[in-house]
C-alpha cells in the first residue's frame, strides 16, 4: 500500500498504491502505514536522504482523500477533533523533515491527498487531463481538518485559499501553477525526473512564501473576510454551517502561529463533524458513489452515437458525448439548427482550451469526431441512436420507424422525451426491446443526473448499454419506471403546482421564490419555470393532469401564460422580465393572467411549508408506486434533478429527520386547510404508525 525506496541518487521515494481499489483512498490502515514509513525515514541510520518524493502508483490519481466510510463511523465531536489531531501529526512529519520534500502529482489530488501535498516543500504536477487539485471538504459539510485550512492560506494567500476552501472546486494545472499552488508542471513521463531535479537543485527545505501572504497582516484583511462572509450568506442564505465555519476559522487563525492554528482547526472540524448537514451530505455522497447498481444485461461498447434533433437538448447531448470520446453523427431537418449546434460544439471546446482546462489537441480530436446531416447517412454505424426532436408522440414514433430502417437490429434507440411514455413511443416498433428512455436534463453539461426509463418490452442488454453510456458521460444514473413525469418531473409537479396556488391566493412572485430559497433551493420555483421554459413545463403538466388527479387541480394555468406569449427566459418573458440575458423585475401582469389580481401576504412559513410538503408527499407516492427502487435513489434524483437542497439530504432523508409520523400529521393538517391534494401518501401514514424509517437510524 505504501512503499518506500531509497535511490542511488540519495532521494527517497514514497509511493502510495492501494492494491484493492482503483483510487488511492486514505483509510486508517493506509495512514498508519504512511506514518510508519515516515518514521522509518526519520529513524534511518546513516546520512539522511537528500530529499523525499511522495507519489502515487496509480496512472490517473494521486490520492483522492480520507476514507469517508470510516469518517462517518466516528461517534462524537471529541472523536472527530481527535481524528483531526492525529492526521495533523502524521502529515506534520513530512513538513518536519530537514530535507526538501516534493509531492509528485499525476491525476486527482483531493482532500487528505492535497493536505499531504501541502506539507511538502514543493508540488510538481502533470499536464495529464485528470490532474486536478482540490480541498472539497465543504461539499461534505466539513473543512480540511488535517492541516489544509492552515497551510493553504500560507501558501497561496487568504483570498485564493478562501475561494478554494469555500467552493471545494478543482484547480486545473495551468491555474495551479499561476496561483502558486504548484511549483512546476511536467508530463506524466517526466514527473519523477522533474521532482528529482527540484531536490537536486539544492532547494532549501523551508516553505516558499505564497504570493498572497502579505494579506495575512495587511490592512485589506478585514475587508477580505467581510466580503467572503457576505458571499457565503448570499449563496447559502446562512443555512450551511461549514462555509461560515471556514471563514471564521481562517479569520481567527490568520497571523497566529501554526500550532495554535492547528488546534483551532481540529476544534472546528470536530464541531462540523456532528452537524446534521454533514450527516445529510455524507448520505448523498454514498447515494452517488453507491450508484453502481448492477444491471443484468451485456452493455454494448459505444463508439458512435447518432442524435436526431439538434436543438437545445440534442446539441447538449452531442457535446457531452463527444467529450467522453464518442463519435457523434447529428441529424436535423433544419440546416440552421445544425449550424447552431455545430457552433455550440466549437464554442464549448474552444472555451475549455481558452480556460486552459483542455489541450488544443484534445479539443481538435473531439471536434474531429463530430459531423452533421439532414438525412440518415452514417446512422447505421451508431451503437446507440438517440432522438431529441420535438415532444410529439407521432413525430417520435415516425422517427423510431425511420431509424429502424437504417439501423442494424442490435443497435439501441433512445428517446430523450421528458413526458411521453416509452411504451407508447415503442408501440409500433419492429423491435420494441431495443427502445429505452434516456432523459437528460438541461443544461446537459451541468446537470449531473440521467433518468433511464425502460418499457415492459425493453431488454436487459438495451438497459445495460444505456446505463453504461450514461455513466461514461459522467452522469449519475437513476433507473425509473415508465410512468408520467418519470421521477424528477413527477416530484417537481406538485411543488410547481403549489406555486401557482400560492400566487392565485395572492402571494407575490418574489415571495414564493424567496420561500423556496430560504429552504435551500438554488432558485425559486417561478424563476425555475422561466429557466426550463413554460412551453416545456406546460407539456409535462398536461401529461400528468389525469394521472395526479386531485394533487394537480390546476385549470390550464400554464396555458394561460404561454397563450400570452410567455415562454420564460428564452423569449425574455415569463414570471420575470429579461433583458440582455439578465433576470429583471417580476411581471405584475402575471397575477391578472392567473385570475388573482388581489395581492395578499401569505405568511412566509406557510408558503415554505406548503411548497416543501407538496414535494415530500409526492416523493413518497412515487416510491410507493415503484417509480424508483429505493429511498436512496429518490434522494439522489431530487437533489441532482430538482435542485432539492443537498444539505437536507433529499426528501426521504428529510422525512426521517423530521419524523415520518410528524410529516404525515402535518400533511393531514395541510389537507384540512388547503384541500385533499395534501392527503398523506399511504406509506407515510403506515410508516408513521409503525415507527419505521426510510433509512436505518444512526444510534
Ligand atoms: P428544441 O425545439 O430545441 O429542438 C428540437 C429539434 O428537433 C429542432 O432543432 C428540430 O428542428 C428538430 N427536429 C424536429 N423534428 C425532427 C426530425 N423529424 N428529424 C430531425 N430533427 C427534427 O427542443 P429541445 O428542448 O431540445 O427538446 C428536445 C426533446 O428533449 C424533447 O422531447 C423534449 O421534451 C426533451 N427534453 C427537453 C428538455 C428541456 O429542458 N428543454 C429537458 C429534457 C428533455
Amino acid at each position: 500500500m505504501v512503499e518506500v525506496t531509497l535511490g542511488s541518487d540519495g532521494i527517497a521515494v514514497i509511493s502510495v498504491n492501494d492494491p484493492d481499489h482503483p483510487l488511492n483512498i486514505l483509510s486508517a490502515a493506509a495512514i498508519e502505514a504512511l506514518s510508519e514509513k515516515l518514521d522509518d525515514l526519520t529513524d534511518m541510520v546513516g546520512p539522511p536522504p537528500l530529499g523525499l518524493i511522495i507519489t502515487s502508483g496509480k496512472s490517473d490519481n494521486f490520492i483522492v482523500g480520507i476514507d469517508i466510510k470510516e469518517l462517518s463511523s466516528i461517534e462524537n465531536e471529541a472523536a472527530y477533533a481527535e481524528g483531526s489531531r492525529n492526521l495533523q501529526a502524521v502529515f506534520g512529519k513530512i513538513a518536519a523533515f530537514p530535507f526538501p520534500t516534493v509531492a509528485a502529482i499525476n491525476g486527482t489530488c483531493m482532500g487528505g491527498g492535497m493536505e499531504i501535498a501541502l506539507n511538502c516543500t514543493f508540488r510538481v504536477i502533470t499536464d495529464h487531463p485528470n490532474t486536478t487539485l482540490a480541498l472539497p471538504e465543504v461539499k461534505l459539510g466539513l473543512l480540511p481538518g488535517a492541516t489544509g485550512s492552515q497551510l493553504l492560506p500560507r501558501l497561496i494567500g487568504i483570498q485564493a485559499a478562501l475561494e478554494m476552501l469555500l467552493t471545494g472546486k478543482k484547480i486545473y494545472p495551468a491555474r495551479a501553477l499561476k496561483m502558486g499552488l504548484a511549483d512546476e508542471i511536467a508530463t506524466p513521463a517526466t514527473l519523477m525526473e522533474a521532482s528529482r531535479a527540484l531536490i537536486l537543485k539544492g532547494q532549501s527545505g523551508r516553505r516558499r512564501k505564497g504570493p498572497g501572504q502579505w494579506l495575512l497582516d495587511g490592512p485589506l484583511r478585514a475587508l477580505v473576510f467581510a466580503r467572503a462572509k457576505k458571499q457565503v450568506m448570499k449563496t447559502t442564505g446562512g443555512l450551511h454551517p461549514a462555509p461560515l465555519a471556514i471563514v471564521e476559522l481562517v479569520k481567527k487563525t490568520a497571523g497566529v502561529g501554526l500550532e495554535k492554528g492547528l488546534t483551532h482547526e481540529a476544534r472546528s472540524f470536530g464541531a462540523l463533524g456532528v452537524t446534521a448537514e454533514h450527516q445529510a451530505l455524507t448520505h448523498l455522497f454514498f447515494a452517488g458513489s453507491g450508484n453502481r447498481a448492477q444491471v443484468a444485461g451485456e452493455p454494448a461498447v459505444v463508439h458512435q452515437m447518432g442524435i436526431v434533433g439538434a436543438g437545445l437538448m440534442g446539441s447538449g447531448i452531442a457535446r457531452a458525448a463527444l467529450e467522453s470520446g464518442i463519435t457523434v453523427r447529428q441529424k436535423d431537418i433544419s440546416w440552421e439548427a445544425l449550424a447552431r449546434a455545430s457552433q455550440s460544439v466549437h464554442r464549448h471546446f474552444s472555451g475549455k482550451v481558452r480556460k486552459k482546462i483542455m489541450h488544443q489537441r484534445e479539443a481538435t480530436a473531439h471536434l474531429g469526431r463530430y459531423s452533421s446531416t439532414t438525412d440518415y447517412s452514417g446512422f447505421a454505424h451508431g451503437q446507440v441512436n438517440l432522438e431529441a426532436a420535438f415532444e410529439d408522440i407521432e413525430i417520435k414514433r415516425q422517427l423510431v420507424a425511420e431509424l429502424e430502417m437504417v439501423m442494424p437490429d442490435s443497435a439501441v434507440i433512445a428517446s430523450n422525451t421528458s413526458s411521453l411514455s416509452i411504451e407508447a413511443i415503442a408501440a409500433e416498433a419492429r423491435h420494441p426491446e431495443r427502445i429505452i428512455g434516456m432523459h437528460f436534463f438541461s443544461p446537459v453539461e451541468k446537470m449531473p443526473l440521467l433518468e433511464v426509463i425502460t418499457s415492459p418490452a425493453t431488454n436487459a442488454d438495451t438497459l445495460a448499454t444505456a446505463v453504461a453510456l450514461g455513466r461514461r458521460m459522467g452522469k449519475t444514473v437513476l433507473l425509473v419506471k415508465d410512468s408520467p413525469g418519470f421521477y424528477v418531473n413527477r416530484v417537481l409537479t406538485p411543488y410547481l403546482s403549489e406555486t401557482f396556488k400560492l400566487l392565485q391566493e395572492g402571494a407575490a412572485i418574489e415571495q414564493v421564490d424567496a420561500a423556496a430559497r430560504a429552504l435551500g433551493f438554488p432558485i425559486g420555483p417561478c424563476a425555475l419555470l422561466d429557466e426550463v421554459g413554460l412551453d416545456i413545463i406546460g407539456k409535462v403538466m398536461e401529461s400528468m393532469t389525469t394521472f395526479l388527479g386531485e394533487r394537480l387541480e390546476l385549470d390550464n394555468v400554464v396555458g394561460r401564460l404561454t397563450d400570452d406569449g410567455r415562454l420564460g427566459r428564452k423569449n425574455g418573458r415569463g414570471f420575470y422580465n429579461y433583458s440582455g440575458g439578465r433576470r429583471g423585475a417580476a411581471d405584475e401582469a402575471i397575477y391578472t393572467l392567473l385570475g388573482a389580481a388581489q395581492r395578499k401576504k401569505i405568511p412566509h412559513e406557510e408558503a415554505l411549508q406548503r411548497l416543501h410538503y407538496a414535494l415530500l408527499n409526492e416523493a413518497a407516492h412515487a416510491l410507493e408506486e415503484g417509480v424508483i427502487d429505493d429511498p436512496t435513489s429518490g434522494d439522489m434524483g431530487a437533489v441532482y434533478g430538482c435542485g432539492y437542497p443537498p444539505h437536507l439530504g433529499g426528501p426521504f432523508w428529510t422525512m426521517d429527520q423530521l419524523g415520518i409520523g410528524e410529516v404525515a400529521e402535518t400533511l393531514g393538517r395541510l389537507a384540512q386547510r388547503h384541500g385533499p391534494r395534501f392527503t398523506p401518501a399511504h406509506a407515510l401514514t403506515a410508516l408513521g404508525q409503525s415507527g419505521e424509517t426510510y433509512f436505518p437510524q444512526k444510534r
Side-chain angles (χ1 to χ4, degrees):
M1 166 92 220
V2 183
E3 304 241 317
V4 61
T5 48
L6 185 59
S8 54
D9 55 2
I11 295 174
V13 176
I14 286 186
S15 176
V16 183
N17 193 355
D18 182 346
D20 303 323
H21 204 278
L23 300 173
N24 276 333
I25 297 173
L26 293 173
S27 61
I31 291 161
E32 181 65 35
L34 175 67
S35 179
E36 278 169 16
K37 301 294 177 196
L38 295 171
D39 287 343
D40 290 350
L41 283 176
T42 313
D43 301 340
M44 219 165 77
V45 282
L50 284 183
L52 166 68
I53 300 172
I54 302 182
T55 193
S56 149
K58 306 284 187 199
S59 61
D60 63 355
N61 66 93
F62 176 70
I63 295 170
V64 300
I66 303 289
D67 187 335
I68 294 166
K69 212 170 221 125
E70 288 182 1
L71 195 67
S72 70
S73 67
I74 297 181
E75 305 239 322
N76 55 45
E77 184 170 341
Y80 269 99
E82 194 190 324
S84 159
R85 283 314 244 167
N86 290 342
L87 280 173
Q88 290 172 351
V90 174
F91 297 173
K93 292 178 190 179
I94 303 168
F97 283 130
F99 42 79
T101 50
V102 177
I105 301 165
N106 180 41
T108 322
C109 170
M110 287 198 294
M114 186 68 225
E115 292 177 299
I116 288 179
L118 286 170
N119 278 280
C120 292
T121 326
F122 304 107
R123 283 143 297 280
V124 180
I125 61 178
T126 69
D127 60 355
H128 187 284
N130 283 349
T131 300
T132 52
L133 312 178
L135 283 171
E137 287 79 356
V138 69
K139 294 183 180 173
L140 280 183
L142 292 173
L143 49 78
T147 70
S149 78
Q150 299 303 299
L151 297 185
L152 189 68
R154 284 171 168 79
L155 182 69
I156 61 171
I158 291 177
Q159 208 163 349
L162 280 176
E163 189 198 335
M164 266 183 86
L165 294 169
L166 290 173
T167 60
K169 72 178 181 191
K170 297 175 187 165
I171 307 291
Y172 288 85
R175 172 128 198 264
L177 185 68
K178 196 163 164 207
M179 71 202 281
L181 191 57
D183 299 275
E184 254 178 50
I185 299 187
T187 66
T190 59
L191 176 65
M192 294 307 280
E193 192 186 313
S195 304
R196 284 200 167 85
L198 257 185
I199 291 173
L200 292 174
K201 256 196 256 167
Q203 306 279 2
S204 94
R206 274 184 301 124
R207 249 182 218 114
R208 222 172 60 137
K209 196 173 160 162
Q213 181 79 4
W214 60 276
L215 266 181
L216 282 173
D217 310 312
L220 284 179
R221 197 162 93 180
L223 186 67
V224 167
F225 287 114
R227 225 190 257 154
K229 182 154 182 189
K230 197 167 155 205
Q231 184 60 27
V232 167
M233 293 306 288
K234 193 173 154 205
T235 48
T236 69
L239 293 170
H240 304 195
L244 286 171
I246 288 170
V247 177
E248 276 314 302
L249 174 66
V250 179
K251 185 174 169 188
K252 197 188 300 172
T253 54
V256 311
L258 183 59
E259 261 321 305
K260 205 163 170 195
L262 292 176
T263 309
H264 283 298
E265 180 186 79
R267 207 174 289 151
S268 301
F269 184 79
L272 289 178
V274 291
T275 57
E277 184 204 30
H278 168 56
Q279 318 286 335
L281 292 170
T282 303
H283 158 67
L284 280 178
F285 173 83
F286 289 130
S289 61
N291 178 244
R292 286 271 171 264
Q294 294 302 316
V295 280
E298 193 55 44
V301 180
V302 178
H303 302 291
Q304 177 169 325
M305 202 173 158
I307 300 176
V308 183
L312 179 77
M313 295 306 291
S315 56
I317 297 166
R319 294 189 296 268
L322 288 167
E323 199 158 342
S324 43
I326 297 165
T327 297
V328 172
R329 184 84 173 143
Q330 187 142 41
K331 172 194 187 290
D332 204 291
I333 41 176
S334 142
W335 276 112
E336 284 82 27
L338 287 171
R340 273 196 305 273
S342 171
Q343 266 170 11
S344 88
V345 168
H346 278 83
R347 250 199 327 270
H348 173 75
F349 290 114
S350 59
K352 292 210 155 188
V353 173
R354 205 175 43 250
K355 287 190 204 141
K356 295 197 161 57
I357 52 181
M358 188 177 278
H359 287 300
Q360 181 60 54
R361 62 174 183 274
E362 226 185 314
T364 309
H366 291 320
L367 288 170
R369 279 186 277 97
Y370 180 71
S371 64
S372 39
T373 170
T374 50
D375 57 27
Y376 284 102
S377 59
F379 271 69
H381 307 298
Q383 289 77 28
V384 173
N385 288 327
L386 174 143
E387 74 74 24
F390 297 139
E391 188 74 344
D392 178 300
I393 187 69
E394 289 314 321
I395 292 182
K396 300 219 186 265
R397 281 186 180 152
Q398 174 67 28
L399 289 175
V400 166
E402 289 171 10
L403 282 167
E404 286 203 309
M405 306 254 282
V406 294
M407 290 167 59
D409 288 353
S410 59
V412 168
I413 300 180
S415 171
N416 185 47
T417 179
S418 36
S419 60
L420 300 169
S421 144
I422 303 303
E423 189 173 7
I425 291 174
E428 294 163 6
R430 273 194 291 129
H431 292 287
E433 71 280 0
R434 46 111 149 237
I435 297 182
I436 194 157
M438 288 182 78
H439 184 207
F440 290 90
F441 296 83
S442 169
V444 180
E445 292 94 336
K446 290 212 177 114
M447 293 294 281
L449 195 73
L450 168 71
E451 288 185 317
V452 169
I453 309 112
T454 48
S455 85
T458 311
N459 70 19
D461 289 354
T462 302
L463 174 62
T465 302
V467 168
L469 174 61
R471 286 181 183 153
R472 176 163 166 203
M473 288 168 75
K475 301 300 171 200
T476 295
V477 175
L478 193 67
L479 302 184
V480 282
K481 194 167 96 174
D482 188 13
S483 79
F486 309 133
Y487 177 71
V488 168
N489 285 333
R490 164 90 183 257
V491 295
L492 266 182
T493 300
Y495 163 84
L496 296 176
S497 131
E498 200 57 31
T499 300
F500 283 102
K501 290 272 177 213
L502 286 163
L503 296 177
Q504 287 181 319
E505 285 173 32
I509 292 168
E510 296 91 334
Q511 190 210 341
V512 179
D513 275 359
R517 285 199 311 271
L519 198 60
F521 278 89
I523 58 172
C526 300
L528 176 72
L529 284 158
D530 278 357
E531 293 298 325
V532 176
L534 289 159
D535 49 338
I536 305 261
I537 290 289
K539 286 237 160 82
V540 171
M541 285 199 164
E542 193 184 299
S543 76
M544 299 185 67
T545 311
T546 6
F547 184 74
L548 288 185
E550 63 192 11
R551 299 206 294 286
L552 187 63
E553 44 190 32
L554 292 168
D555 61 284
N556 188 32
V557 276
V558 189
R560 281 187 245 163
L561 303 187
T562 47
D563 289 349
D564 186 49
R566 290 169 192 272
L567 302 183
R569 181 190 279 277
K570 62 182 149 193
N571 76 341
R573 290 183 73 221
F575 286 90
Y576 295 88
N577 287 317
Y578 297 82
S579 86
R582 289 182 153 263
R583 189 184 305 139
D587 189 343
E588 307 255 323
I590 291 275
Y591 303 129
T592 317
L593 287 171
L594 294 180
Q598 294 295 318
R599 300 295 80 219
K600 183 181 107 192
K601 180 114 185 75
I602 300 207
H604 175 73
E605 283 305 320
E606 180 191 323
L608 191 150
Q609 188 181 53
R610 283 170 57 182
L611 290 171
H612 193 190
Y613 277 68
L615 189 152
L616 293 178
N617 201 24
E618 199 55 42
H621 277 290
L623 178 63
E624 193 175 318
E625 290 164 28
V627 175
I628 39 167
D629 292 335
D630 48 50
T632 304
S633 305
D635 281 349
M636 218 167 49
V639 171
Y640 298 144
C642 309
Y644 189 85
H647 73 282
L648 298 180
F652 295 98
W653 185 264
T654 301
M655 288 191 275
D656 269 4
Q657 307 310 306
L658 292 170
I660 298 180
E662 278 77 7
V663 171
E665 273 172 31
T666 305
L667 281 165
R669 277 197 302 277
L670 287 170
Q672 274 170 6
R673 282 193 64 181
H674 302 288
R677 63 184 184 278
F678 281 107
T679 307
H682 294 306
L684 290 179
T685 315
L687 286 172
Q689 278 163 3
S690 69
E692 284 172 79
T693 50
Y694 283 114
F695 300 101
Q697 298 299 293
K698 198 178 174 185
R699 286 171 294 283

